[in-house]
Amino acid sequence: MARTSSSKENAQALFHSLRSAYAATPVNLKIIDLYVGFAAFTALIQVVYMASVGSFPFNSFLSGVLSCVGTAVLAVCLRIQVNKENKEFKDLPPERAFADFVLCNLVLHLVIMNFLG
Amino acid sequence: MAAPETSTAAVPTLYTNNTLRNAFGGVLSFFILLLIGVLAFSIRLFSVIKYESVIHEFDPYFNYRVTQFLTKKGIYEFWNWFDDRTWYPLGRVIGGTVYPGLTLTAGTIWWLLNSLNIPLSVETVCVFTAPIFSAFASWATYLLTKEVKGAGAGLTAAVLLAMVPSYISRSVAGSYDNEAVAIFALIFTFYLYLKTLNTGSLFYATLNSLAYFYMVCSWGGYTFIINLIPMHVLLCIVTGRYSSRLYIAYAPLVVLGTLLAALVPVVGFNAVMTSEHFASFLVFIIIHVVAFVYYIKGILSPKMFKVAVTLVVTVGLAVCCAVIAVLIALVASSPTKGWSGRSLSLLDPTYASKYIPIIASVSEHQPPTWPSYFMDINVLAFLVPAGIIACFLPLSDASSFIVLYIATSVYFSGVMVRLMLVLAPAACITSGIALSEAFDVLTGSIKFQLPGVTSNAEVDAGETSSDTSEAQTDEVKAEKPDDTSKNRPSKKSKKKERELAENPPAKATAKAKAKAEKKRLLALPLEASVISLLLLVVLGAFYVVHSVWAAAEAYSAPSIVLTTRSRDGLHVFDDFREAYAWLSHNTDVNDKVASWWDYGYQTTAMANRTVIVDNNTWNNTHIATVGTAMSSPERAAWEIFHSLDVKYVLVVFGGLIGYPSDDINKFLWMVRIGGGVFPHIKEPDYLRDGQYRIDSQATPTMLNCLMYKLSYYRFVETDGKAYDRVRRTEIGKKYFKLTHFEEVFTTHHWMVRIYKLKPLKNRIRGKAKKSKSKTSSTSSSKRSGTKKKNPWL
């Protein structure tokens, strides 16, 4: 009994501290996080659609899901490189990080357009 | 670089000394790399000099034919090409079953040269593609090893790769096969992966994915990359070397790489459905979990983190078990657990010999013998362990990758002799590291003890201050164990040198004295260093001599032209081309030729005739049909060939001149493969005391089979005794006639024999009154007897 209540308190305290820590992150990082969440959500919708309707043009399904996952991954990489708390990327100007992000997305979407069918 | 502000005389000379030395080193490296490229190209030209500029072996002829088609018809026709001149009557979808990298590369080079009005023929471009790409491969090795250990190790590894016999064997001028470009793509992909790992730049991650795409286009061995890199990522995570650079190096590669691999028609949806790729997806999920854990750890306090861990573990474990159970059920439901036959035979070397005789019969798929290691990588075989140790001092992400690479490639080279080729770059890299470290220690000892160096204060201050700057960067390195890149400290060391110049010199000399003392204790005795240096150079000389010998004598044979040396000089056997030329001049364009699958590619490429089976060996039943026909008596074989519309049968026979790779020696595979599909072919029928024999002790089934008859028809007329020089015995049945085939051509040295199927007689005899030869009696018994047994009637 005491364990469950303490675990419930713990869960609440955990949730609280997570929330306050996340609120402290800078706005540009939060925007990137929002983009990642959006991309992941889109991928989820596509998977649910495929599960309900069938996977007939499988290459279309694959390219759709992988484009969402891919752009989410690239956005996470951008976030890693732009985050000021990361000591490894101190020397990297954020413009360079964004340029790399754009280039990689370009290549990704070129491949997607080719594979979409 | 801004000029230093202090006015001590030593510092500007230190600066200019270092920059001058760097500049000189850079120019020297450039010229050395140029020479290495020229060396790699020219050592592979022996076959062109000794024979002629001709395409070697069997597989390259298919690639050559595809390249010819590409250059004649263009790329759209190439993608949609359905080849009806092979695997008659099935045909082969070339666009969807060939790895296009090699042919597209050669086609592009040809098109580029022709548009510049340099009129090279397609054959010349194909013959010389491999040496050019081996030069590129040695430059890629330089870049790769530079990422791991530095430029000195890079140059050593590059020169070792330019000459390693194992790589030469698959990339001589004329060996126009997938490995020619694939090894370059492999090394280049690994280089870009390590560069991304060291710098954490997304740009290099993109380039890495594109290089991986080129590798998928070129060779089926790309599965090695897509399994090795996840293994390395897992190793880094497990040993606590996770960093955000690892995430940037791996995650985009998986997504982009899978997409790009799915673009290639040969791979298609296999990129997401076969077990060979599952490791990459699994590690993809794992690295996301680990990254998330690290992120949460970063933003929470330690107490809260512990709470989070307990919560997640209890909930997550249950979900994980459910997901894994579902996955295992899915994979276990397929009979091969989702792996292809060739990959399974890599993991379980006995698999192929038990279940798929075709894979077991290819000579390149046999395990190598011990001497072949020394033949193929020579001196590197015992430099590799030293290199592995050098990789551990200090251990970085890049050097742990090299250790993993060499360990896995040694295992796989032990399974299949063809994969010694994948071992070669790994062996060169590790040996290059070992040699370079050894040279560093020895030359450092010599330089330290040469008279005149320690007394020169200026140079001493210059050296030791640069050493102290290195010591300071070492301290910086020790503070951040994750920061293991070689490029970043160079920027920091320049900053430190500037700071050092502004520090009071007293502090520098105190540190310099400590460093000098440490160096003095580490230095080896002068004589020992000099002798060891000389011995290492002699070791390199042995390696060079062996490599050149191997390239000239062992690996330059085009195998379509044979030569021997006799007392009268050089004797050339050009029988294969003679036979193919006869076929192309004396038969109709639509005639079908049946032979064992080894000669399929050459027949379609050189004789331009439709064949039944060829080296692609994708249809086991079709090959078993031809094998059954070769193992059956004449009448049954005639029936099988007639049902396939065959007009000519081609056999290779080496008994007159002693050529050991002829069809009688390959006969056991025809029986085994045929017997694997058609049970009326039983291997014990052909064996006497467990051996295949063709002399007087041979079994009657053997003496009656088509292969025996077609090989030894009229053989007794050559020397009167019918002595087979390969089997070293006289044959069993010397005088016989062929009833269903007629001989149309035998080459000069009896190496290739071509027979034509006789058409059906208009009148069929009721009963065979005369039985001149055993064949007519067996054929009559077959006619009257069990039609049910023979599936072709």
Side-chain angles (χ1 to χ4, degrees):
Chain A
M1 196 63 153
R3 217 185 300 158
T4 50
S5 67
S6 74
S7 69
K8 214 190 250 182
E9 280 175 18
N10 273 341
Q12 274 187 348
L14 172 69
F15 186 60
H16 213 69
S17 64
L18 265 178
R19 216 170 164 190
S20 58
Y22 188 66
T25 55
V27 178
N28 56 348
L29 294 184
K30 279 198 210 158
I31 293 178
I32 299 179
D33 289 340
L34 206 61
Y35 180 68
V36 172
F38 162 69
F41 180 61
T42 317
L44 194 65
I45 292 183
Q46 290 186 16
V47 171
V48 167
Y49 178 76
M50 189 270 297
S52 60
V53 173
S55 69
F56 165 53
F58 191 59
N59 54 332
S60 315
F61 164 67
L62 213 59
S63 64
V65 168
L66 282 180
S67 83
C68 292
V69 172
T71 180
V73 162
L74 291 175
V76 172
C77 294
L78 175 68
R79 187 191 200 277
I80 290 174
Q81 288 181 332
V82 164
N83 197 354
K84 298 219 175 16
E85 292 170 18
N86 263 338
K87 309 236 186 345
E88 288 169 350
F89 294 102
K90 218 168 17 143
D91 297 332
L92 189 71
E95 289 83 10
R96 165 75 196 262
F98 187 67
D100 284 343
F101 170 71
V102 168
L103 175 73
C104 212
N105 262 322
L106 222 59
V107 172
L108 174 71
H109 285 97
L110 196 68
V111 176
I112 296 289
M113 299 302 269
N114 198 358
F115 196 50
L116 206 51
Chain B
M1 262 189 294
E5 281 149 15
T6 51
S7 55
T8 43
V11 174
T13 47
L14 154 67
Y15 246 6
T16 47
N17 263 350
N18 257 353
T19 45
L20 199 63
R21 211 192 303 171
N22 281 341
F24 185 62
V27 172
L28 198 61
S29 305
F30 175 72
F31 278 112
I32 292 177
L33 276 178
L34 209 61
L35 280 177
I36 289 175
V38 171
L39 169 71
F41 183 82
S42 33
I43 201 174
R44 286 162 169 82
L45 295 184
F46 275 106
S47 61
V48 176
I49 297 172
K50 287 170 74 173
Y51 300 87
E52 58 181 288
S53 165
V54 72
I55 307 236
H56 297 191
E57 300 269 327
F58 302 110
D59 278 3
Y61 272 100
F62 170 68
N63 295 325
Y64 172 55
R65 180 165 164 254
V66 176
T67 317
Q68 269 183 319
F69 187 87
L70 172 67
T71 52
K72 255 189 249 173
K73 302 273 177 75
I75 187 151
Y76 284 108
E77 291 293 320
F78 168 70
W79 281 130
N80 296 325
W81 185 19
F82 178 79
D83 188 18
D84 55 351
R85 297 187 68 80
T86 176
W87 293 94
Y88 186 84
L90 305 166
R92 178 183 172 186
V93 182
I94 299 276
T97 56
V98 79
Y99 280 99
L102 176 70
T103 47
L104 286 177
T105 308
T108 313
I109 295 178
W110 176 87
W111 175 82
L112 205 66
L113 288 175
N114 264 359
S115 59
L116 292 174
N117 279 331
I118 305 174
L120 287 181
S121 72
V122 179
E123 184 175 13
T124 314
V125 172
C126 291
V127 163
F128 287 101
T129 299
I132 292 178
F133 273 84
S134 64
F136 293 161
S138 40
W139 294 338
T141 313
Y142 163 72
L143 291 171
L144 174 61
T145 321
K146 195 164 90 133
E147 282 303 307
V148 181
K149 269 294 178 182
L155 289 172
T156 324
V159 78
L160 288 176
L161 186 85
M163 290 195 295
V164 64
S166 158
Y167 185 30
I168 290 183
S169 71
R170 304 290 302 196
S171 67
V172 280
S175 174
Y176 182 56
D177 207 354
N178 286 334
E179 290 92 351
V181 292
I183 296 296
F184 161 67
L186 181 87
I187 303 176
F188 198 55
T189 310
F190 284 153
Y191 156 63
L192 286 172
Y193 171 66
L194 288 181
K195 184 95 182 169
T196 319
L197 198 56
N198 281 340
T199 59
S201 152
L202 203 54
F203 173 64
Y204 281 110
T206 319
L207 288 183
N208 187 17
S209 312
L210 290 175
Y212 173 66
F213 174 52
Y214 185 51
M215 178 70 190
V216 173
C217 283
S218 311
W219 196 30
Y222 75 91
T223 50
F224 181 64
I225 297 188
I226 203 63
N227 282 308
L228 184 65
I229 293 188
M231 252 203 274
H232 176 244
V233 169
L234 209 56
L235 181 75
C236 282
I237 292 177
V238 162
T239 55
R241 303 184 74 93
Y242 171 78
S243 65
S244 41
R245 284 171 295 116
L246 191 68
Y247 181 84
I248 295 180
Y250 183 63
L253 171 68
V254 169
V255 180
L256 257 180
T258 310
L259 264 174
L260 287 167
L263 265 185
V264 182
V266 181
V267 177
F269 296 146
N270 285 345
V272 289
M273 305 235 277
T274 52
S275 297
E276 284 135 2
H277 294 87
F278 280 172
S280 58
F281 299 140
L282 193 68
V283 178
F284 185 66
I285 297 177
I286 290 180
I287 200 175
H288 274 96
V289 170
V290 170
F292 192 60
V293 165
Y294 270 87
Y295 171 68
I296 296 288
K297 198 172 186 182
I299 62 174
L300 283 183
S301 65
K303 185 174 74 84
M304 282 288 105
F305 181 64
K306 257 189 242 171
V307 169
V309 165
T310 44
L311 197 68
V312 168
V313 163
T314 45
V315 172
L317 214 60
V319 176
C320 240
C321 289
V323 169
I324 289 182
V326 168
L327 213 67
I328 289 182
L330 263 176
V331 170
S333 59
S334 80
T336 56
K337 315 278 180 290
W339 293 81
S340 76
R342 281 195 194 180
S343 311
L344 256 181
S345 66
L346 277 181
L347 294 177
D348 172 19
T350 58
Y351 176 80
S353 49
K354 275 188 274 174
Y355 297 106
I356 315 177
I358 284 244
I359 294 182
S361 75
V362 181
S363 67
E364 305 172 315
H365 293 177
Q366 308 301 323
T369 55
W370 281 113
S372 66
Y373 275 96
F374 198 69
M375 170 76 170
D376 275 350
I377 54 174
N378 208 33
V379 155
L380 310 182
F382 49 86
L383 281 179
V384 160
I388 296 180
I389 293 178
C391 280
F392 278 99
L393 325 157
L395 186 69
S396 65
D397 289 339
S399 54
S400 69
F401 178 76
I402 297 294
V403 171
L404 194 64
Y405 178 23
I406 186 101
T408 47
S409 55
V410 165
Y411 169 71
F412 285 124
S413 73
V415 175
M416 247 195 222
V417 75
R418 185 179 185 182
L419 296 179
M420 294 250 347
L421 185 60
V422 176
L423 172 66
C428 291
I429 295 170
T430 34
S431 326
I433 292 175
L435 271 180
S436 170
E437 292 292 305
F439 267 100
D440 269 350
V441 168
L442 292 175
T443 49
S445 313
I446 294 179
K447 195 160 87 165
F448 192 74
Q449 291 174 53
L450 275 179
V453 168
T454 47
S455 58
N456 194 343
E458 200 175 331
V459 185
D460 187 42
E463 269 193 35
T464 48
S465 54
S466 66
D467 288 344
T468 45
S469 72
E470 277 179 29
Q472 293 204 355
T473 52
D474 284 345
E475 289 170 18
V476 171
K477 273 196 217 172
E479 280 169 17
K480 296 191 217 162
D482 295 346
D483 185 11
T484 52
S485 66
K486 286 270 171 210
N487 297 328
R488 303 221 148 238
S490 66
K491 277 196 207 151
K492 294 208 175 90
S493 71
K494 288 196 182 102
K495 278 194 210 162
K496 293 285 183 215
E497 277 182 26
R498 234 179 293 162
E499 289 174 23
L500 194 61
E502 294 159 13
N503 278 344
K507 201 172 169 190
T509 47
K511 274 213 172 109
K513 273 196 191 144
K515 190 82 184 179
E517 185 67 27
K518 190 174 170 198
K519 266 192 121 170
R520 189 182 70 81
L521 290 172
L522 280 179
L524 299 171
L526 182 66
E527 301 82 12
S529 320
V530 172
I531 293 181
S532 318
L533 210 59
L534 279 173
L535 285 180
L536 276 183
V537 174
V538 169
L539 189 74
F542 278 136
Y543 174 69
V544 172
V545 165
H546 172 84
S547 302
V548 175
W549 169 84
E553 299 295 325
Y555 290 135
S556 287
S559 81
I560 192 160
V561 177
L562 308 165
T563 59
T564 56
R565 280 195 182 280
S566 60
R567 270 175 305 131
D568 329 334
L570 193 68
H571 218 74
V572 175
F573 300 99
D574 209 3
D575 287 41
F576 284 105
R577 295 198 287 181
E578 187 184 344
Y580 298 132
W582 185 92
L583 267 180
S584 83
H585 284 131
N586 292 299
T587 61
D588 190 56
V589 174
N590 292 319
D591 284 342
K592 299 7 175 208
V593 179
S595 66
W596 193 232
W597 57 261
D598 283 10
Y599 315 107
Y601 281 157
Q602 283 182 344
T603 313
T604 37
M606 278 198 273
N608 196 24
R609 293 290 172 268
T610 311
V611 290
I612 306 295
V613 286
D614 68 13
N615 308 55
N616 193 28
T617 65
W618 65 270
N619 191 330
N620 195 32
T621 314
H622 220 50
I623 295 182
T625 312
V626 175
T628 309
M630 295 296 193
S631 328
S632 310
E634 250 190 283
R635 163 84 187 181
W638 188 94
E639 296 287 341
I640 295 177
F641 283 140
H642 189 67
S643 74
L644 288 172
D645 291 345
V646 170
K647 197 102 173 283
Y648 295 93
V649 179
L650 187 151
V651 292
V652 170
F653 171 63
L656 183 67
I657 54 162
Y659 174 61
S661 310
D662 64 352
D663 281 355
I664 293 279
N665 271 355
K666 294 179 191 165
F667 185 62
L668 73 101
W669 291 112
M670 301 186 198
V671 172
R672 277 188 201 165
I673 295 175
V677 179
F678 299 103
H680 67 271
I681 303 284
K682 300 186 203 43
E683 196 175 352
D685 287 346
Y686 299 84
L687 301 173
R688 173 84 67 193
D689 306 325
Q691 275 191 349
Y692 284 89
R693 303 180 68 146
I694 44 96
D695 52 9
S696 48
Q697 295 291 318
T699 58
T701 331
M702 182 76 194
L703 292 175
N704 274 330
C705 73
L706 188 73
M707 181 50 68
Y708 179 91
K709 291 208 163 159
L710 294 187
S711 294
Y712 293 116
Y713 180 60
R714 292 193 312 116
F715 185 47
V716 70
E717 294 170 18
T718 55
D719 60 351
K721 281 184 295 166
Y723 181 72
D724 184 340
R725 292 223 171 98
V726 180
R727 268 61 60 177
R728 301 202 198 193
T729 165
E730 291 185 18
I731 61 176
K733 193 160 68 167
K734 300 186 190 178
Y735 300 94
F736 54 89
K737 282 218 176 66
L738 294 175
T739 54
H740 289 75
F741 294 85
E742 60 172 320
E743 181 186 6
V744 283
F745 186 65
T746 298
T747 57
H748 187 215
H749 302 101
W750 286 58
M751 274 177 67
V752 183
R753 311 193 65 181
I754 306 181
Y755 294 85
K756 188 170 169 179
L757 260 71
K758 275 192 191 168
L760 270 176
K761 288 199 182 43
N762 277 334
R763 295 176 296 135
I764 302 178
R765 293 189 191 192
K767 224 197 268 184
K769 291 212 172 109
K770 298 181 266 186
S771 50
K772 265 206 172 137
S773 61
K774 287 183 194 153
T775 47
S776 57
S777 61
T778 47
S779 66
S780 65
S781 67
K782 270 238 178 264
R783 235 182 286 144
S784 58
T786 50
K787 282 192 179 177
K788 303 163 216 153
K789 233 194 237 173
N790 196 329
W792 300 101
L793 296 175

